[in-house]
């Protein structure tokens, strides 16, 4: 490809669902759950193919980025307003850095990937598709279960309908993407099962586009005031003018120029303790031990993360037991998404 590829890694969130390991001054992208390297550092390893790499973050994290990604440039977003404004801002900042407009591959910093080499090749292919289509490309993970915590992407078929007869049914690099029929956000289990049966993919939040393509579509979206302000050279004013919104909701679900390409590799979003326990090392055969010394007696299917403590489990099942510093969290595994509620309460008292 005759365009430079620029990787843009999003690392501005705190990861509230991984409380108490993740705190306001210790976001999850800086944490290391296995192998001694942080989630951000491992993500940067997967983008080594790119011509340049940047980390998009908030001001309070910017200095620490260099410890985990010394090879990367740092972009500081004016305010934390979700992925929509962040990615539009990054596109505006990066579009004129090369003689030829680059292609951006944008990805979160907190994912698990089973095969980095396969993942990198698919990212490069997504960049090629972005140039071929002049559109917005997202990567769809082939589901392994009817997960209710993920969004789903339904590709359009050759006849415009959704289903397994879509353009993704081929196996060559000329038929490995399709237009997107629709997005479905965090469905019920029954709906998730039907979506998988119809050929839908998990929405991984991994994208490829040229800056001009994203800014073109953003100008016709709720982020138009931000685009206008950026063109006037006033990003602070632009962020003040818009509400927090995801790039999926603001742009991807609205545009007619969105495409999906499959990511056929073991993948998980390490956004909850349930996910961390599911994919990382330390399974003792009955419980998923992320960190710590655990004695288990007639206990099963629990996730334990307590690096500095001994935990004894007695006749309990499907619990989260997490202890970091002076904080302890105990709850059912099925409630891992609700840990944000705890964090919201703590923030009210400046205790997060």
């Amino acid at each position: 490809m005759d365009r430079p590829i620029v990787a843009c890694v999003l690392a501005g969130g705190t990861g509230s669902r991984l409380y108490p390991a993740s705190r306001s001054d210790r976001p999850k992208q800086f944490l290391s759950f296995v192998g001694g390297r942080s989630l951000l550092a491992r993500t940067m390893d997967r983008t080594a193919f790119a011509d340049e790499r940047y980390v998009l973050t908030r001001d309070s994290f910017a200095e620490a980025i260099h410890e985990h990604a010394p090879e990367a440039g740092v972009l500081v977003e004016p305010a934390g307003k979700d992925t929509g404004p962040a990615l539009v801002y990054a596109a505006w900042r990066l579009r004129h850095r090369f003689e030829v407009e680059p292609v951006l591959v944008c990805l979160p910093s907190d994912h698990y990937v089973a095969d980095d080499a396969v993942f990198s090749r698919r990212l490069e292919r997504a960049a090629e598709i972005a140039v071929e289509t002049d559109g917005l490309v997202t990567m769809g993970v082939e589901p392994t279960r009817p997960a209710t915590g993920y969004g789903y992407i339904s590709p359009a078929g050759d006849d415009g309908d959704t289903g397994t007869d879509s353009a993704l049914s081929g196996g060559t690099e000329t038929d490995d993407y399709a237009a997107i029929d629709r997005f479905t956000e965090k469905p019920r289990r029954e709906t998730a099962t039907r979506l998988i049966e119809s050929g839908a993919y998990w929405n991984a939040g991994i994208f490829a586009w040229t800056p001009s393509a994203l800014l073109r579509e953003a100008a016709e979206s709720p982020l138009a005031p931000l685009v206008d302000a950026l063109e006037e050279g006033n990003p602070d004013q632009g962020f003040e003018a818009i509400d927090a919104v995801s790039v999926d909701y603001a742009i991807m679900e609205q545009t007619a120029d969105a495409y999906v390409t499959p990511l056929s590799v073991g993948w998980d979003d390490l956004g909850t303790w349930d996910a961390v326990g599911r994919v990382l090392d330390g399974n003792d055969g009955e419980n998923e031990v992320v960190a710590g010394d655990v004695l288990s007696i007639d206990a099963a299917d629990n996730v334990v993360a307590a690096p500095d403590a001994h935990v004894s489990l007695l006749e309990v099942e499907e619990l989260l037991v997490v202890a970091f510093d002076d904080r302890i969290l105990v709850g059912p595994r099925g409630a891992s998404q609700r840990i944000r509620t705890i964090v919201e309460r703590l923030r009210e008292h400046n205790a997060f």
Side-chain angles (χ1 to χ4, degrees):
M1 186 171 59
D2 59 356
R3 292 177 185 244
I5 297 177
V6 176
C8 182
V9 177
L10 287 81
T14 58
S16 58
R17 291 174 297 170
L18 286 180
Y19 171 85
S22 182
R23 302 278 291 277
S24 58
D25 60 346
R26 188 177 59 200
K28 67 177 176 180
Q29 56 267 27
F30 297 159
L31 300 178
S32 173
F33 296 109
V34 65
R37 289 173 61 75
S38 67
L39 295 178
L40 175 57
R42 293 167 71 90
T43 301
M44 299 308 297
D45 291 343
R46 301 179 194 120
T47 62
F49 66 89
D51 296 288
E52 285 195 16
R53 290 178 284 175
Y54 290 85
V55 176
L56 179 63
T57 190
R58 64 178 65 185
D59 184 63
S60 58
F61 299 160
E63 185 174 348
I65 293 294
H66 296 291
E67 300 175 19
H68 302 267
E71 71 281 15
V74 178
L75 300 177
V76 177
E77 53 188 329
K81 290 200 169 183
D82 213 328
T83 57
L87 289 170
V88 168
Y89 175 73
W92 174 71
R93 286 286 305 273
L94 296 172
R95 62 177 175 171
H96 294 315
R97 290 192 62 85
F98 299 86
E99 293 183 4
V100 177
E101 185 182 35
V103 186
L104 307 183
V105 290
C106 307
L107 64 160
S109 57
D110 56 354
H111 288 177
Y112 163 80
V113 174
D115 190 323
D116 286 356
V118 171
F119 182 82
S120 297
R121 287 197 297 271
R122 291 307 302 163
L123 274 182
E124 289 185 88
R125 175 57 185 150
E128 293 173 352
I129 296 168
V131 174
E132 293 172 15
T133 62
D134 192 30
L136 311 183
V137 179
T138 187
M139 303 191 78
V141 175
E142 296 182 359
T144 58
R145 64 189 185 282
T148 58
Y150 296 151
Y152 287 76
I153 303 170
S154 298
D158 294 332
D159 58 359
D161 296 326
T162 301
T164 55
D165 293 331
S166 73
L168 295 179
S169 60
T172 71
E173 288 196 350
T174 59
D175 57 4
D176 61 348
Y177 66 93
I180 294 174
D181 181 74
R182 67 177 183 274
F183 291 83
T184 304
E185 181 64 17
K186 297 181 179 179
R188 294 178 180 271
R189 185 177 181 85
E190 297 79 8
T191 302
T193 299
R194 289 196 299 270
L195 286 167
I196 292 173
E197 291 173 348
S198 71
Y201 293 85
W202 283 339
N203 184 356
I206 302 171
F207 307 98
W209 46 53
T210 62
S212 60
L214 181 64
L215 293 169
R216 178 191 71 220
E217 300 302 322
E220 302 297 327
S221 79
L223 296 175
L226 173 59
V227 176
D228 292 340
L230 291 173
E231 295 299 337
E232 295 170 1
N234 196 336
D236 290 332
Q237 178 181 311
F239 272 75
E240 292 174 1
I242 48 92
D243 296 324
V245 63
S246 71
V247 70
D248 284 323
Y249 184 80
I251 300 175
M252 297 298 291
E253 295 182 16
Q254 315 301 326
T255 180
D257 289 323
Y259 302 87
V260 60
T261 188
L263 177 61
S264 302
V265 65
W267 171 92
D268 217 320
D269 178 359
L270 298 181
T272 67
W273 286 115
D274 210 8
V276 173
R278 184 168 56 239
V279 303
L280 295 184
D281 293 341
N283 192 315
D284 70 356
E286 294 178 334
N287 303 286
E288 293 160 0
V289 181
V290 177
D293 176 28
V294 177
L295 170 63
S296 173
I297 300 175
D298 297 328
D301 300 322
N302 302 288
V303 175
V304 182
D308 300 316
H310 169 84
V311 176
S312 295
L313 302 174
L314 176 62
E315 295 187 17
V316 292
E317 296 182 355
E318 298 187 355
L319 288 181
L320 301 174
V321 182
V322 185
F324 280 77
D325 303 328
D326 60 342
R327 306 293 180 94
I328 299 174
L329 169 73
V330 179
R333 287 186 67 162
S336 60
Q337 297 280 349
R338 295 194 62 203
I339 293 176
R340 280 177 172 164
T341 304
I342 294 176
V343 171
E344 290 170 2
R345 297 283 183 89
L346 292 172
R347 280 177 171 154
E348 292 175 1
H349 302 281
N350 296 317
F352 176 58

